[in-house]
Amino acid sequence: MFDLIKKIIDFLNNLDNRNSGNNGNGSNDPITIDANQKAGLKKAAFLFPVILLIFALFSSFYTIDPGEIGVIQRFGKLSSYSDPGLHLKIPIVDKLTVVDVEKVRRIEIGFRSDRSRVSVVQESLMITKDENIVDAQAIIQWKIKDPGNFLFKVFNVNATIKGAAEVSLRSTIGNTMIDDALTTGRDQIQSNTREFLQELLDSYNSGVAITDVKLQIVDPPEEVKDAFNEVVRAKEDKEKLINNAKGYFEDVIPKARGEAEKMIRQAEAYREQRISTAEGDVARFNQIYSEYRKDKGTTKTRIYLEKMQTILQKPKKVIGVDSSSGSLNLLQLGEVFKD
């Protein structure tokens, strides 16, 4: 744009020089000087609107990059927002402020890491619910969610977020026992701090969204740090033993349940077998009894013979009577009828 303006000025200067050359050869005649002044006024009268028009033309267009929001103020009052792309605004009347809404910013609580990490004990020392002192350091990550509120509702956003974050962290630590703060309660502290901080900033209409709260250090003061570390190690051993016991429980109980189920199934199968056998015996007995009622003598004889056949099928000893002497003779037939 400036190159174009410069070219226009050079063109008008050349045009004025040509007009001056036609009036004489460098003469200081008053008439010539008056003519040059008139030509300069004409040039200025022509140049000013041209420059103003070019400036207005170029300042009317603006571009918003992805991840940014354009905030338009018209006569100093918030007018509209502009999404990424090419837009048009009214020159001089409209003021544009571009806000990056995707950038994640951070605030440090309890320490500073500009060049080397330095603790800030005025911020990091906090009192727990059971009235113990801990050294807590955290990083607060945040983004802009409402550019209008971010620009116009809060005077110093960084200081506001920092103060609110320190209040939120102290409040959360103050409702937490020291054992939980040093061991298993870190995730809960981060979650509660984030929720409390977001509610606090929303009440200020700050236009800020807290994306994450990351605890860096939660330690006891240096004077008693070793003793607290011993307590932490003891609690870790306790948790380890509990987890091992739970693992053993989860291993043994399913096996025992499987064995119990197996025994139940075997008992049910044995019951069904005994019932089937008993029902078969009952059916056989009823059949025999029916035949017995028809001819009792024959049935008794048949049953007797069948039983004796079963008994005498493989005898171990045979006792015989000698008719001539009347003595009993024992015949060793065990080898003959050996299984």
Side-chain angles (χ1 to χ4, degrees):
M1 182 180 73
F2 293 105
D3 292 339
L4 180 60
I5 294 174
K6 186 175 182 301
K7 290 180 180 179
I8 294 174
I9 294 173
D10 292 340
F11 171 76
L12 294 175
N13 288 332
N14 294 332
L15 182 62
D16 182 60
N17 290 334
R18 287 196 297 270
N19 291 332
S20 299
N22 292 332
N23 292 329
N25 297 322
S27 174
N28 292 327
D29 185 34
I31 299 176
T32 303
I33 295 174
D34 184 59
N36 290 336
Q37 291 177 348
K38 290 181 179 180
L41 291 176
K42 291 180 179 180
K43 180 181 70 174
F46 175 78
L47 183 62
F48 179 74
V50 171
I51 294 175
L52 185 62
L53 178 62
I54 295 173
F55 175 77
L57 180 64
F58 278 89
S59 63
S60 298
F61 294 94
Y62 64 95
T63 302
I64 303 298
D65 294 331
E68 297 179 341
I69 296 293
V71 180
I72 299 297
Q73 294 173 258
R74 183 162 295 168
F75 296 110
K77 184 178 180 181
L78 177 63
S79 175
S80 62
Y81 298 110
S82 301
D83 295 328
L86 181 64
H87 300 274
L88 179 67
K89 66 181 180 68
I90 303 175
I92 301 175
V93 174
D94 290 346
K95 178 183 177 182
L96 171 67
T97 303
V98 179
V99 179
D100 190 345
V101 296
E102 293 297 328
K103 180 181 179 180
V104 177
R105 300 162 173 85
R106 58 179 272 168
I107 291 178
E108 299 169 343
I109 303 297
F111 73 101
R112 300 293 182 270
S113 61
D114 295 336
R115 295 182 179 178
S116 61
R117 188 182 182 93
V118 177
S119 297
V120 183
V121 294
Q122 294 85 352
E123 298 177 1
S124 62
L125 293 182
M126 304 179 186
I127 299 178
T128 62
K129 186 177 182 180
D130 49 356
E131 297 182 355
N132 287 290
I133 298 177
V134 295
D135 185 359
Q137 300 177 7
I139 293 176
I140 311 299
Q141 295 182 341
W142 59 280
K143 297 194 305 184
I144 300 172
K145 68 176 181 179
D146 189 328
N149 289 345
F150 174 77
L151 292 174
F152 308 120
K153 293 297 181 67
V154 179
F155 174 69
N156 190 332
V157 177
N158 286 329
T160 301
I161 297 175
K162 184 177 180 301
E166 189 174 343
V167 169
S168 302
L169 185 57
R170 288 185 181 277
S171 176
T172 304
I173 294 291
N175 291 320
T176 305
M177 304 295 287
I178 189 170
D179 291 340
D180 295 333
L182 297 178
T183 56
T184 60
R186 294 172 63 93
D187 291 340
Q188 191 64 37
I189 291 174
Q190 293 177 156
S191 177
N192 292 345
T193 302
R194 179 179 178 275
E195 293 177 1
F196 188 14
L197 178 57
Q198 187 64 65
E199 292 177 1
L200 198 59
L201 292 175
D202 288 344
S203 67
Y204 298 157
N205 293 323
S206 62
V208 171
I210 302 300
T211 60
D212 200 3
V213 174
K214 297 181 179 180
L215 285 175
Q216 301 299 295
I217 293 176
V218 180
D219 287 335
E222 289 294 333
E223 295 78 5
V224 294
K225 191 171 184 179
D226 293 337
F228 271 95
N229 288 337
E230 290 294 333
V231 174
V232 171
R233 283 191 287 268
K235 289 183 177 294
E236 290 176 350
D237 293 339
K238 174 186 174 182
E239 292 295 328
K240 181 179 178 181
L241 292 175
I242 292 174
N243 292 333
N244 290 338
K246 288 181 178 179
Y248 179 74
F249 173 83
E250 296 295 336
D251 179 59
V252 172
I253 294 301
K255 290 182 179 179
R257 289 174 178 170
E259 292 293 332
E261 192 69 21
K262 179 181 178 181
M263 294 176 65
I264 291 172
R265 295 292 177 263
Q266 290 176 347
E268 291 177 348
Y270 178 72
R271 182 189 67 180
E272 296 297 329
Q273 180 185 358
R274 294 291 294 173
I275 292 174
S276 299
T277 301
E279 289 177 349
D281 292 342
V282 170
R284 182 171 177 273
F285 177 81
N286 290 334
Q287 184 179 6
I288 294 174
Y289 180 69
S290 177
E291 296 298 327
Y292 171 77
R293 293 179 61 185
K294 294 178 182 178
D295 189 351
K296 296 182 179 181
T298 303
T299 305
K300 285 183 179 181
T301 302
R302 182 175 63 81
I303 293 174
Y304 173 77
L305 293 175
E306 290 177 353
K307 192 64 177 176
M308 291 304 296
Q309 181 181 3
T310 303
I311 295 173
L312 299 175
Q313 186 175 6
K314 295 179 180 180
K316 301 300 181 182
K317 298 178 181 179
V318 177
I319 301 174
V321 180
D322 189 353
S323 59
S324 61
S325 63
S327 62
L328 297 176
N329 296 320
L330 177 60
L331 301 179
Q332 300 295 334
L333 300 178
E335 296 296 331
V336 177
F337 297 101
K338 184 182 294 183
D339 292 339

